[in-house]
Amino acid sequence: MIEINNRWPEIIKQFDELNRLRVAIGFFSDDEKSKLLTIVRANEFGAYIRPIHGEWLTIPTKATPMGDDGGPMPARQIPGLFRPKGKNILAVSDGAGGLTVMYMLVKEVVIPSRPFIRTALFKNRDKYQQTMIKGVRHIIEGSMTARQVLTIIGEQAKGDIVRETISWDSPGNMPATVARKGTNDPLVDKGILQRSVKYKILEGWHD
């Protein structure tokens, strides 16, 4: 039997912490229009993309060099890039009379919904509930704090989202993307999403 009579003040303090704190899991950026959040939203909810300027979207090929951000280099940064007459591509000369295709030109792109965040959290919600129940017991025993309990849940959920991005396979990538990546892993590209999953313990419920 656990002796808790002389520990009530600390137990109440930790329960107050549980009521006051929350753990947020996902992708964070100070810029709501950041490239990362744009990619996450497009995959989680789906997107219909048309060019903002001009009439074409540029779809990188396997030959497209990588930029400083780890993604395909923007077309405007590639020296010697041009559009061959009558072809919906952007290419550079290969130096031997041929062309190296850097981008395919398309009028629109439809990204299907791949709700990996919601799926991961839904699949594992019972696990998080059990972690919280065990955590409350540890708080009563004096072997864990409220922040430690939330940290464990944050780590669990972070790992679950990462695993969901890796295992997700349908809907798959469009053929041009498969050709560039060499695989049909729609949510894996240089590990950008996987490295970007984070969690934060926040004060209150209105941050």
Side-chain angles (χ1 to χ4, degrees):
M1 185 173 180
I2 302 171
E3 178 61 52
I4 62 173
N5 290 337
N6 61 349
R7 296 194 58 258
W8 275 119
E10 180 60 27
I11 293 172
I12 292 172
K13 175 183 175 182
Q14 293 303 321
F15 284 170
D16 286 343
E17 285 266 278
L18 279 181
N19 287 328
R20 182 172 55 84
L21 300 175
R22 60 190 169 103
V23 58
I25 306 102
F27 301 83
F28 302 91
S29 174
D30 293 332
D31 180 7
E32 284 296 313
K33 296 182 179 180
S34 71
K35 183 177 180 179
L36 171 64
L37 294 186
T38 299
I39 292 171
V40 171
R41 291 190 191 104
N43 279 287
E44 182 73 15
F45 300 105
Y48 181 69
I49 303 173
R50 282 185 166 178
I52 298 175
H53 305 291
E55 59 177 324
W56 299 100
L57 293 170
T58 53
I59 307 300
T61 69
K62 190 174 183 179
T64 309
M66 294 294 105
D68 293 337
D69 63 354
M73 183 177 291
R76 64 181 178 276
Q77 295 181 8
I78 299 178
L81 193 68
F82 71 101
R83 181 183 178 186
K85 186 176 181 179
K87 296 185 180 296
N88 293 337
I89 61 172
L90 295 177
V92 296
S93 172
D94 65 3
L99 298 175
T100 299
V101 179
M102 294 290 183
Y103 287 93
M104 308 295 292
L105 298 177
V106 298
K107 294 284 189 178
E108 62 187 22
V109 170
V110 178
I111 300 177
S113 175
R114 302 180 179 104
F116 64 99
I117 299 174
R118 287 170 290 172
T119 299
L121 298 182
F122 180 80
K123 282 182 178 179
N124 295 282
R125 59 183 181 178
D126 289 344
K127 178 175 67 177
Y128 308 142
Q129 290 174 353
Q130 289 303 311
T131 299
M132 179 59 74
I133 291 171
K134 292 177 182 177
V136 168
R137 291 173 182 165
H138 285 300
I139 288 173
I140 293 173
E141 293 170 356
S143 59
M144 193 171 288
T145 66
R147 285 184 178 271
Q148 287 172 328
V149 174
L150 294 179
T151 296
I152 292 172
I153 293 175
E155 289 286 355
Q156 287 179 334
K158 173 183 171 181
D160 292 334
I161 292 174
V162 169
R163 281 187 288 275
E164 195 66 34
T165 66
I166 295 171
S167 64
W168 196 283
D169 59 4
S170 181
N173 285 129
M174 59 189 296
T177 304
V178 174
R180 175 178 64 82
K181 292 167 59 176
T183 62
N184 188 20
D185 296 321
L187 296 175
V188 180
D189 192 359
K190 309 296 182 183
I192 295 172
L193 281 184
Q194 291 70 36
R195 291 192 300 272
S196 299
V197 183
K198 309 289 183 184
Y199 70 90
K200 295 181 178 181
I201 297 176
L202 303 175
E203 301 276 344
W205 293 88
H206 303 286
D207 291 356

